[in-house]
Amino acid sequence: MMAFMIIILLALLAGKEVGAANVSDTQNLLTDLSQDYNVNIRPAVDQLSPVNVSLQMYLKSIMEFDEVQGSISYTAGFLMIWEDYRLGWDPLRYGGLTKLTVPLKQIWFPELILVSPATDRTYLANTQSKARIWSGGEVEYLEGVMIESTCDVNVKYYPFDLQSCNTSFMALGYYQTEVYLMRRTESIDLTLYHGNSMWTLESTSVSVADISTGSEEQEVFFTFNLRRKPVYAVVTVLLPILFLGTLNAFVFLLIPESGERIGYSITTLLSIAVYMTIIMSTLPQSSDPTPLIFYKLLVDLAYSSLIIVAVILNMRLHAKDDDASMPKFFVSFYLALTCRGCGGKPVSPASHGFATDKNVLTLNEMKTKPDELDMPVNSVDAKKITWKKFSSLLDTIFFVLFIFYSFLSFAVFLGVLVGGA
Ligand SMILES: *[C@@H]1O[C@H](CO)[C@@H](O)[C@H](O)[C@H]1NC(C)=O
Ligand SMILES: *[C@@H]1O[C@H](CO)[C@@H](O)[C@H](O)[C@H]1NC(C)=O
Ligand SMILES: *[C@@H]1O[C@H](CO)[C@@H](O)[C@H](O)[C@H]1NC(C)=O
């Protein structure tokens, strides 16, 4: 009661000065505004023309981008501005009041709905909120919302992928000839945005389009272009793949007598398979397009299987009796690769400077086996080529080939990813 008296006293003291609005000014204004006001009537003077509603998004944060589910969730503030001529007034009549805050549910407002929700129906407006109205009749409504929207995911170039997420809103229940949606700016306002640890927001855009060509309804699109920060995936996925591939080739340096070769190569094969499973669970199961990393892993799996076959076959050669005969082709192959005839020049044992006991011995032996005389000149030490030597030569060749292949395929893969993204 005392407070009320004081207010009245103060108001009396304030007198008739313009710009000193008292409680009754606001009270009168509210009463006048709500008189005959029907929240269901669109605030257009000409009811055949649309109400323009302009939209602005203030992105606050991107909380999660889920590639597997194909959804993005973010928090943002949405500013909607429209004009309601019924809410205009003359400030001089109300002590100079030029703006007022009213409960949203007491005025007409455009109900905007998320077109592609990932969970529930999402409305931009909350009837518990308040809107600000200006004496000119403009209505300003700002709402903070958490949006969970679906998003088309394209992880073809994972982890150097660029995702483009469209979240759109439409005016529920109105044609564009009734509520005309407009964008305030061409991009999302990022003054409130603080970064995301997984994604870089490369660019944003806002556009308004018909839901389908010639459609009566409109959509406002807010598009985010997100680029993955690749360091995490490079360290946890790409480099281990390279290491596994390289490690795989080292089986050929393992001493055959150790008996560990098969175990070693199977283990590497399994590691690649496990990696494949892990990566599969972090990426969407999509055939359109399939992430290139799956192909790379598939090729690695094939490469690893090939290594196992090579190891097994080479072990058989290694285990052969040294006296077992060796096909001539193998012998020439061995000689060609061990450089006993570099550049294709026929080399006589003497010209190498190491033509000594070895060759003499061989020559002696050759006499006893005249059928080998039709072999090339440099195959004189053919007898010295044992299956073990041959097998270890193959080991060297395989090692070099597979190491080379491993780096090459990784480089090509990386090139395709970086080039395509
Ligand atoms: C408020 O101010 C008006 C004049 O501007 C005056 O007529 C009215 O009595 C005042 N009301 C109160 C409650 O002070
Ligand atoms: C709504 O926007 C359109 C296009 O910008 C404009 O031509 C029209 O005059 C606006 N209508 C109102 C009522 O402001
Ligand atoms: C998002 O919507 C706009 C407007 O229709 C369109 O131009 C763009 O291609 C869409 N982007 C995606 C990724 O769907």
Side-chain angles (χ1 to χ4, degrees):
M1 203 56 196
M2 271 303 283
F4 188 59
M5 291 294 283
I6 288 171
I7 287 173
I8 288 180
L9 219 85
L10 283 176
L12 281 172
L13 285 175
K16 276 199 170 256
E17 273 175 71
V18 169
N22 60 26
V23 174
S24 64
D25 287 329
T26 308
Q27 169 86 42
N28 291 343
L29 180 55
L30 277 175
T31 316
D32 292 353
L33 288 182
S34 57
Q35 205 141 43
D36 292 335
Y37 189 95
N38 186 334
V39 293
N40 297 318
I41 297 174
R42 213 160 40 82
V45 185
D46 171 6
Q47 283 286 305
L48 296 181
S49 68
V51 178
N52 288 348
V53 175
S54 64
L55 257 176
Q56 166 88 59
M57 184 201 279
Y58 296 87
L59 185 64
K60 179 89 176 104
S61 65
I62 294 174
M63 296 192 300
E64 194 183 6
F65 179 76
D66 188 337
E67 306 102 304
V68 181
Q69 300 293 330
S71 67
I72 183 171
S73 56
Y74 58 89
T75 48
F78 287 88
L79 177 68
M80 280 175 250
I81 295 181
W82 67 92
E83 237 173 77
D84 189 337
Y85 71 94
R86 294 172 293 176
L87 298 179
W89 69 88
D90 177 6
L92 294 178
R93 285 187 53 207
Y94 300 94
L97 273 180
T98 54
K99 51 187 190 291
L100 195 63
T101 304
V102 293
L104 189 66
K105 61 181 170 218
Q106 288 182 11
I107 60 172
W108 176 91
F109 64 93
E111 188 122 61
L112 293 185
I113 188 170
L114 178 66
V115 175
S116 50
T119 52
D120 298 334
R121 276 164 81 109
T122 308
Y123 300 94
L124 277 196
N126 175 0
T127 45
Q128 305 300 315
S129 304
K130 307 230 178 205
R132 178 168 293 280
I133 56 182
W134 299 83
S135 56
E138 301 94 24
V139 185
E140 221 181 81
Y141 172 52
L142 179 68
E143 182 64 87
V145 198
M146 195 193 110
I147 303 287
E148 280 185 80
S149 169
T150 54
C151 173
D152 290 335
V153 179
N154 180 344
V155 282
K156 183 170 181 194
Y157 297 109
Y158 174 87
F160 299 100
D161 47 338
L162 177 71
Q163 303 294 341
S164 185
C165 270
N166 255 356
T167 51
S168 63
F169 298 88
M170 62 178 284
L172 195 66
Y174 287 111
Y175 288 159
Q176 55 175 298
T177 48
E178 293 161 349
V179 168
Y180 187 76
L181 297 176
M182 302 197 300
R183 58 178 183 188
R184 287 182 66 76
T185 52
E186 288 182 5
S187 58
I188 295 168
D189 192 303
L190 297 179
T191 44
L192 299 178
Y193 179 66
H194 51 85
N196 182 281
S197 60
M198 297 277 286
W199 300 89
T200 310
L201 191 59
E202 275 211 339
S203 60
T204 61
S205 68
V206 185
S207 60
V208 184
D210 293 354
I211 281 190
S212 58
T213 42
S215 160
E216 298 267 28
E217 279 103 355
Q218 272 181 315
E219 274 178 288
V220 189
F221 289 93
F222 294 96
T223 310
F224 305 87
N225 292 312
L226 299 166
R227 186 172 289 286
R228 191 188 298 274
K229 294 182 178 169
V231 178
Y232 177 77
V234 167
V235 171
T236 59
V237 175
L238 289 194
L239 289 182
I241 289 179
L242 173 67
F243 297 158
L244 280 179
T246 318
L247 207 59
N248 216 342
F250 275 85
V251 68
F252 295 109
L253 297 191
L254 206 58
I255 304 159
E257 286 77 14
S258 69
E260 297 282 351
R261 280 190 163 198
I262 298 297
Y264 178 91
S265 22
I266 295 277
T267 310
T268 344
L269 177 86
L270 286 180
S271 313
I272 294 176
V274 167
Y275 249 87
M276 205 163 174
T277 320
I278 292 175
I279 295 168
M280 270 176 174
S281 65
T282 63
L283 292 182
Q285 297 176 351
S286 152
S287 296
D288 188 23
T290 303
L292 291 178
I293 197 162
F294 287 171
Y295 290 114
K296 163 71 176 150
L297 284 167
L298 186 68
V299 168
D300 277 2
L301 213 58
Y303 152 92
S304 195
S305 315
L306 206 64
I307 285 185
I308 295 184
V309 173
V311 165
I312 291 175
L313 294 183
N314 203 11
M315 294 280 275
R316 283 186 70 88
L317 295 188
H318 180 84
K320 274 200 178 194
D321 194 356
D322 279 353
D323 296 335
S325 68
M326 191 182 280
K328 279 181 194 174
F329 169 74
F330 280 8
V331 177
S332 355
F333 180 73
Y334 183 91
L335 290 174
L337 278 164
T338 47
C339 230
R340 310 278 164 89
C342 281
K345 288 176 224 144
V347 184
S348 69
S351 74
H352 258 335
F354 58 76
T356 46
D357 336 345
K358 287 184 185 175
N359 294 306
V360 174
L361 245 174
T362 324
L363 282 168
N364 285 339
E365 283 173 6
M366 273 171 68
K367 281 176 197 138
T368 63
K369 284 188 176 177
D371 56 325
E372 281 185 24
L373 273 174
D374 56 352
M375 288 171 70
V377 186
N378 50 359
S379 70
V380 278
D381 47 357
K383 255 299 172 199
K384 312 245 10 138
I385 305 170
T386 60
W387 280 109
K388 282 204 171 43
K389 278 186 176 178
F390 185 74
S391 155
S392 91
L393 171 73
L394 280 185
D395 277 346
T396 316
I397 294 171
F398 283 147
F399 176 69
V400 172
L401 272 185
F402 280 115
I403 279 276
F404 178 71
Y405 166 80
S406 161
F407 280 103
L408 182 74
S409 76
F410 189 77
V412 168
F413 171 62
L414 216 59
V416 169
L417 283 188
V418 174

